[in-house]
Amino acid sequence: MMRIKRFLLLVIVCIVALSPFNVVAASAAAPKDEVVYATLQPNGEELNMHVVNSFEVEEQQELVDYGDYTNVKNLTDLSEITKEGDEISFTASEDTFYYQGDLENKPLPWDFAIRYQLDGEEVNPEELLGQEGHLQIEIETSANEDVNPIFFENYLLQISLSLDGELYQNIEAEQGTIANAGKNKQVTFTVMPEKEGDFLLEADVTDFELAGIEISAVPSSMSIDSPDTDNVTEDFETLSDATAEIDEAVGELADGISELNNGVSSLKNGSSDYQDGMTQISNGSTDLISGSKSIDQALVTMKNSIDQDVETGDFSALQDGLVQIADGLREASNGLAELEDNYTKAYNVLNESMNAIPSYDISEDEIKELTQSGADSEVVNKLVETYKAARTAKGTYDQVSKAFAAVAPTLDEVSNSQTDMASSLETMADQIAAASEGMDIQEGLKELQEGLATLSDNYQEFHSGLEEYTNGVDELSNAYQDLHNGIVELEDGTTALEDGASELHDGTTELADSTSDLPDQMQDEIDEMINDYDKSDFDAESFVSDKNENVQSVQFVIKTESITQDEEDDEEEETEEEKSFWDRLLDLFR
């Protein structure tokens, strides 16, 4: 029976050996995939690498591939693979054909640096086994400048660590994601194309062990559709229009503040003139009171000397006294008239300056809107303070303007009263002279005595009123000094306010100009960002050799060595004799 089986097998082998194969000419155009497997030391230094190549074929054919392999192995069947230099040739059966090639000293497209710290001190990974404490693992990735940059520019890296839940607690990974994987914790970091990575994992560990860190690299070939930005661009257009309106409003505000500052400047000049006039009035009050007092004393003296003059019949002294009093009154009247004229001019300038302050109101909502516009808050605060100070000054002036306006008519009335008194005294002097010439002095003496008595009494009342008036002028002059100082400060504030408003307008103009095309800028930024991450047009290239064509995909599977306890192996190594072709063929049927 055993002989029969062997005979049948021999017949089958002969039939297979003699059967004609439909062999297609050698071709390198069959679609190909490459999976690169690399092993790293725990610190990230490369140890070894091999590549699994797969070809999709529809019928049996001879293929040629390229790679500087140190060794090749058929992973699909027992057919022979021929290697001559970097040329690999083989016969691929129908379906998918796999073969492995080992590479030495072939660098990866990325450099990896992995550092370990325990309780704040850097430790070699080999010394960590069985340790406990606060663990930090830092992983850095960067481009390897010696390798084709197409992989670094188009591939996405995913770095995964599996941590035993019984050994690791309080796991933190700020830039990674932490997920449950059974009793373990899976920590994953992602590195986008054209980016370098720097990640930190922290945990409290007992009896340290670490499974190999797994790193996969695949093309970031997902296509990113441009989002619908119509609503967003409409919002930005609204923002652009709003900034333009703010700029226009701030421009109007700056113009208004400029007008305000001009008005306040005129107000200060008028106030200065008014203050000078009030000072002159106050300084002249002493002379005015002194002259009026002399007139009053002269009237009393004249009244007391009438009897003596009647006895001697000489009225020249009385006549001269009346004339002197009249001259004094006229001089005082002229002084008051000049004072009234100066006061009127100063008051008119002050009134015009106060009226030049704009009367419009700025609401709290408008102030709030200006503050939220992005303008300099310090400038806005100065604007508001100066605006309030100007409104306060105008309000105060409106309350006291009637008192200011009443001063000029009062001066006019006093001046007219003194003029009338001077005319009366001159008339009396003329009458005394006429009576003296006609020797009819006795008949008018009684009337003269009564007139002088009445004049003296009335003048005393006038003198008392004049004293009250001059006292009021002095108080007004002293009080106005404070008001004038406030107006000077107001002008300083409005000048600074005008400068600030001008700067604010420059800023809002710049803001309006920079946001005028904001929707287009935003769309350009979105398009640029999408182009940075959209690798849908990426065409794969062979990692092994640039001679390989029709490469569909290249993937990288990278893993560091595990840091674990060595498992004891009590089994003795057995050396297996190399089998012949016939033994291997027969094994297929056993």
Side-chain angles (χ1 to χ4, degrees):
M1 188 69 178
M2 191 65 177
R3 291 179 179 178
I4 295 175
K5 288 183 179 180
R6 289 183 177 180
F7 176 76
L8 291 176
L9 289 174
L10 181 60
V11 172
I12 293 172
V13 170
C14 292
I15 293 174
V16 171
L18 296 175
S19 297
F21 289 98
N22 295 324
V23 179
V24 181
S27 171
K32 174 192 177 182
D33 295 329
E34 293 178 0
V35 181
V36 181
Y37 294 89
T39 303
L40 308 179
Q41 297 182 32
N43 63 359
E45 294 182 3
E46 187 175 334
L47 274 177
N48 53 63
M49 178 188 299
H50 68 271
V51 181
V52 174
N53 301 278
S54 62
F55 298 84
E56 295 180 4
V57 293
E58 296 181 357
E59 57 185 354
Q60 181 173 302
Q61 58 183 301
E62 291 185 4
L63 298 176
V64 174
D65 195 37
Y66 297 92
D68 190 14
Y69 299 116
T70 58
N71 183 47
V72 293
K73 182 189 300 182
N74 187 339
L75 301 178
T76 304
D77 53 34
L78 300 177
S79 61
E80 185 179 0
I81 298 179
T82 302
K83 178 181 180 300
E84 293 184 5
D86 65 343
E87 183 177 296
I88 315 298
S89 59
F90 49 88
T91 300
S93 59
E94 186 177 348
D95 203 1
T96 304
F97 181 85
Y98 298 91
Y99 86 89
Q100 174 181 320
D102 297 333
L103 293 171
E104 287 185 0
N105 302 319
K106 177 72 172 178
L108 287 165
W110 302 270
D111 288 330
F112 299 95
I114 306 174
R115 290 181 288 273
Y116 303 81
Q117 287 188 3
L118 189 66
D119 293 331
E121 295 184 3
E122 189 164 345
V123 182
N124 291 328
E126 296 81 4
E127 301 174 0
L128 280 172
L129 189 63
Q131 298 293 322
E132 66 176 71
H134 184 71
L135 176 69
Q136 290 182 315
I137 302 176
E138 184 180 7
I139 304 173
E140 290 186 6
T141 68
S142 58
N144 188 335
E145 304 295 340
D146 298 329
V147 181
N148 187 348
I150 190 174
F151 301 103
F152 178 77
E153 294 172 353
N154 293 278
Y155 276 57
L156 180 146
L157 288 178
Q158 192 169 57
I159 305 171
S160 299
L161 296 89
S162 181
L163 305 179
D164 190 333
E166 295 181 357
L167 304 181
Y168 291 85
Q169 301 293 329
N170 304 320
I171 301 172
E172 295 182 5
E174 183 178 352
Q175 296 177 267
T177 58
I178 303 175
N180 292 319
K183 69 182 185 67
N184 296 337
K185 294 289 185 179
Q186 189 81 15
V187 181
T188 304
F189 302 102
T190 302
V191 184
M192 300 300 291
E194 300 182 88
K195 303 295 182 181
E196 296 183 345
D198 188 356
F199 307 107
L200 180 65
L201 181 146
E202 296 188 63
D204 294 327
V205 62
T206 56
D207 194 15
F208 176 88
E209 283 190 0
L210 182 65
I213 300 173
E214 298 179 357
I215 305 171
S216 63
V218 295
S220 178
S221 57
M222 58 182 178
S223 177
I224 303 176
D225 295 330
S226 179
D228 183 5
T229 59
D230 290 343
N231 293 334
V232 179
T233 53
E234 288 178 2
D235 292 339
F236 277 109
E237 287 176 359
T238 302
L239 173 62
S240 178
D241 294 340
T243 53
E245 292 176 1
I246 290 175
D247 178 55
E248 183 179 356
V250 171
E252 295 176 356
L253 175 63
D255 292 339
I257 291 174
S258 179
E259 294 178 4
L260 171 64
N261 188 40
N262 293 335
V264 172
S265 180
S266 299
L267 171 63
K268 188 193 78 168
N269 295 333
S271 176
S272 179
D273 293 340
Y274 180 82
Q275 184 186 27
D276 292 341
M278 291 301 299
T279 301
Q280 293 177 4
I281 293 173
S282 178
N283 294 336
S285 296
T286 302
D287 295 336
L288 184 62
I289 292 299
S290 178
S292 178
K293 188 174 182 180
S294 298
I295 294 173
D296 184 45
Q297 292 175 351
L299 288 174
V300 173
T301 302
M302 288 173 58
K303 178 182 177 183
N304 295 333
S305 64
I306 288 178
D307 293 338
Q308 182 180 353
D309 293 338
V310 171
E311 292 177 358
T312 59
D314 184 7
F315 296 96
S316 59
L318 177 60
Q319 182 181 0
D320 293 338
L322 290 174
V323 171
Q324 291 177 2
I325 292 174
D327 292 340
L329 288 173
R330 287 189 184 279
E331 184 177 353
S333 176
N334 293 334
L336 287 174
E338 182 179 356
L339 182 60
E340 177 199 4
D341 183 58
N342 292 335
Y343 178 86
T344 300
K345 291 180 180 178
Y347 170 73
N348 289 336
V349 173
L350 176 65
N351 189 56
E352 290 176 1
S353 300
M354 281 296 184
N355 291 332
I357 297 177
S359 58
Y360 56 79
D361 292 326
I362 300 177
S363 65
E364 292 295 331
D365 292 338
E366 291 174 325
I367 294 175
K368 184 177 180 181
E369 181 179 353
L370 180 60
T371 303
Q372 295 176 347
S373 68
D376 190 333
S377 59
E378 183 176 354
V379 173
V380 173
N381 291 334
K382 289 181 179 180
L383 292 174
V384 174
E385 290 176 1
T386 306
Y387 161 75
K388 292 181 178 179
R391 297 294 295 161
T392 301
K394 185 175 178 63
T396 303
Y397 176 75
D398 290 341
Q399 294 178 0
V400 300
S401 60
K402 292 182 179 180
F404 286 158
V407 172
T410 301
L411 290 174
D412 186 56
E413 291 177 2
V414 173
S415 176
N416 292 336
S417 176
Q418 289 185 330
T419 301
D420 294 340
M421 291 176 64
S423 298
S424 298
L425 291 174
E426 288 177 345
T427 300
M428 292 175 63
D430 293 340
Q431 291 176 352
I432 291 173
S436 182
E437 291 175 359
M439 299 304 294
D440 194 13
I441 192 66
Q442 295 294 337
E443 294 180 1
L445 183 58
K446 185 176 181 181
E447 295 179 4
L448 176 61
Q449 288 176 327
E450 293 175 355
L452 286 174
T454 302
L455 177 62
S456 178
D457 294 338
N458 290 337
Y459 194 85
Q460 288 179 355
E461 294 178 3
F462 167 78
H463 180 73
S464 298
L466 189 61
E467 286 181 334
E468 293 179 1
Y469 165 73
T470 54
N471 291 335
V473 169
D474 290 340
E475 293 178 1
L476 178 61
S477 178
N478 295 331
Y480 192 79
Q481 179 65 43
D482 295 335
L483 177 60
H484 180 69
N485 292 338
I487 292 174
V488 172
E489 292 178 2
L490 175 62
E491 190 208 21
D492 294 339
T494 55
T495 299
L497 181 61
E498 182 178 12
D499 295 339
S502 179
E503 293 178 5
L504 178 62
H505 187 217
D506 292 341
T508 55
T509 299
E510 183 179 354
L511 176 62
D513 292 341
S514 62
T515 57
S516 59
D517 59 345
L518 191 58
D520 294 336
Q521 292 179 2
M522 184 203 68
Q523 188 63 53
D524 292 342
E525 290 290 339
I526 292 176
D527 294 341
E528 184 178 352
M529 185 179 300
I530 290 176
N531 292 333
D532 288 341
Y533 291 101
D534 186 359
K535 307 295 182 180
S536 58
D537 58 348
F538 168 70
D539 293 326
E541 295 185 13
S542 173
F543 171 71
V544 180
S545 173
D546 55 9
K547 296 180 182 180
N548 294 325
E549 299 178 355
N550 201 9
V551 178
Q552 293 187 130
S553 70
V554 177
Q555 300 181 26
F556 295 83
V557 178
I558 307 167
K559 188 173 182 178
T560 66
E561 289 185 317
S562 300
I563 306 175
T564 56
Q565 298 285 351
D566 293 333
E567 296 181 359
E568 296 182 359
D569 187 1
D570 296 332
E571 298 181 0
E572 295 181 358
E573 295 183 358
E574 297 181 358
T575 303
E576 182 179 353
E577 295 181 0
E578 185 178 355
K579 296 182 179 181
S580 67
F581 171 78
W582 296 109
D583 291 334
R584 285 184 290 168
L585 180 63
L586 292 175
D587 286 342
L588 295 174
F589 297 92
R590 291 173 181 167

